[in-house]
Amino acid sequence: MHAARAAVTVGAGSGGTGNAAASRAGAPGSTPAITLVIAGLACQEVGASIAVLLFPEVGPLGMVMLRLVFSAIVLLLIARPRVRGHSRADWTAVALFGLVLALMNGLFYLALERLPLGVTVTIEVLGPLVLSIVAARRASAWLWAVVALAGVLALGGGGWDRLDPLGVLFALGAAASWAFYILASARVGRAFPKLDGLALAMTVGAIIALPFGIADAGASLLRLEIVALGASVAILSSTIPYALELVALRRLPAAVFAILMSLAPATAALAGFIFLGQHMTWLEIAGIALVIAASIGAVRSSARAAREAAEPIA
C-alpha cells in the first residue's frame, strides 16, 4: 500500500503543511531524516517484492487480505481508537476510506501479478501526480503533465504491446484509487485524531478484503509460514515505513518529504531487479526518470502556488 501516507505527500505538495514546516528546512537533523525516508521506501519495496513471491501460494487478493488484516491489527493496537462521539457523516467517511483502501491495494497487487514492480509503481504514482498538478492551479504546472505523459509512453519500451494490457488497467485503477485515498484520508483526518481514522478505515478495508482473500488463498491460509510472511509484508510495507516517515516529518519540510516520496518508482525498479530479477530496458528506465522528474516538478509548483496564495495582498 504505497498510499499509506500519500495524504501527507500530496498535502505537502499543495501547501497543506509545507509552510509550517518550512522553518525546519535547514535543521541539523535533516540528513538523518532524509535517510529515514529512504529507508522507509526501501522497506516498502522489499515488502512488495515478498508479496509478489507469495502470489503463487495465496494469489494477489489473498496477499491483500493478509496485508490489510495485519496492518489493521497493528494500527488498532497502537492507536486504540475511540469509537464514541462521532457523527454518522464521520463513520460514512471512514467506511468510504476503508473501501478505497481495499480497492487500491487490490488493484495494485493485481497489477503486480502482471507487470514489473517498477512499472506498476510508476503508473500508480500518476494518481497523486495529477492531484499535485491540479492543486498548483498554474499553467506552468501542466508542463509536468506533458513530462509525465512522455515518461508513461517510454515505459512501453517503444511499444505498449510488451506490457500486459490488463495489468496496465489495474495499475491505472490503483493510481485513481490513490487520488481518491488522498481526498478520503483528508476528510477522515479532520474528523478523527492522530491515527484513529486510519486504524478504523484499515479495519473496514480488511473486512471488505476478507472474503476475496479467503477465496483466492484457500487452504494456504492454514500454513503458518505463509501467514507469518503475510505479516512481514504488512510490517515492511506499512508499519515500518509509516513510523520512519512520521519521525522524518518532524525534521523535514513537508514539501521536501513529498519530493523524496517521488523517488518511489526508482526504489521499486531497483527492488524488482534485485529481489525478483525484473530487468528493464533503458527506455523504461528513462520513462521512470521522467515520471519522477514530473512528480518533483509538480510538487514544487503546487508548493509555490500555496505560498503565493498565503502571502498577504499589498
Side-chain angles (χ1 to χ4, degrees):
M1 181 182 56
H2 288 77
R5 61 273 189 206
V8 179
T9 303
V10 178
S14 60
T17 55
N19 293 334
S23 62
R24 298 193 296 272
S30 292
T31 300
I34 290 171
T35 303
L36 291 177
V37 176
I38 294 173
L41 285 172
C43 285
Q44 180 173 279
E45 304 310 340
V46 170
S49 299
I50 295 173
V52 171
L53 294 173
L54 286 175
F55 283 174
E57 302 293 338
V58 299
L61 297 183
M63 192 63 251
V64 170
M65 181 204 68
L66 288 171
R67 179 173 175 177
L68 291 183
V69 165
F70 283 108
S71 295
I73 290 171
V74 171
L75 280 170
L76 288 172
L77 290 174
I78 293 174
R80 297 185 179 182
R82 295 178 59 184
V83 295
R84 295 182 179 179
H86 297 286
S87 67
R88 176 177 294 184
D90 292 342
W91 286 110
T92 300
V94 164
L96 289 174
F97 191 14
L99 176 61
V100 170
L101 274 169
L103 182 62
M104 178 182 63
N105 280 277
L107 290 170
F108 177 72
Y109 280 122
L110 286 169
L112 272 186
E113 187 181 30
R114 298 168 176 269
L115 298 175
L117 179 57
V119 172
T120 304
V121 173
T122 303
I123 296 174
E124 187 195 30
V125 162
L126 296 177
L129 170 59
V130 169
L131 278 187
S132 289
I133 291 170
V134 173
R137 297 180 182 178
R138 300 164 65 97
S140 60
W142 291 98
L143 167 65
W144 302 116
V146 175
V147 174
L149 177 61
V152 171
L153 292 176
L155 276 180
W160 276 87
D161 55 318
R162 65 187 302 275
L163 295 179
D164 186 291
L166 189 55
V168 172
L169 286 176
F170 284 143
L172 288 172
S177 299
W178 193 345
F180 282 114
Y181 167 94
I182 293 165
L183 300 174
S185 66
R187 167 69 180 86
V188 171
R190 289 191 296 267
F192 292 82
K194 300 179 181 179
L195 296 177
D196 287 19
L198 180 60
L200 293 168
M202 191 73 73
T203 303
V204 172
I207 293 170
I208 292 173
L210 205 59
F212 301 98
I214 292 173
D216 204 15
S220 295
L221 295 174
L222 300 177
R223 294 165 55 186
L224 183 59
E225 72 275 14
I226 296 296
V227 175
L229 285 171
S232 71
V233 170
I235 293 171
L236 282 169
S237 297
S238 301
T239 308
I240 294 177
Y242 196 85
L244 292 176
E245 289 156 14
L246 280 179
V247 174
L249 271 170
R250 297 186 187 129
R251 307 176 187 177
L252 284 176
V256 174
F257 174 83
I259 288 171
L260 290 171
M261 291 301 296
S262 300
L263 299 176
T267 57
L270 184 60
F273 174 73
I274 293 173
F275 298 105
L276 302 174
Q278 295 175 342
H279 296 268
M280 304 190 74
T281 67
W282 284 108
L283 196 55
E284 288 172 327
I285 293 172
I288 290 175
L290 285 172
V291 171
I292 290 172
S295 297
I296 293 173
V299 166
R300 291 172 65 88
S301 292
S302 57
R304 191 180 305 116
R307 286 196 302 269
E308 291 175 358
E311 289 176 357
I313 300 175

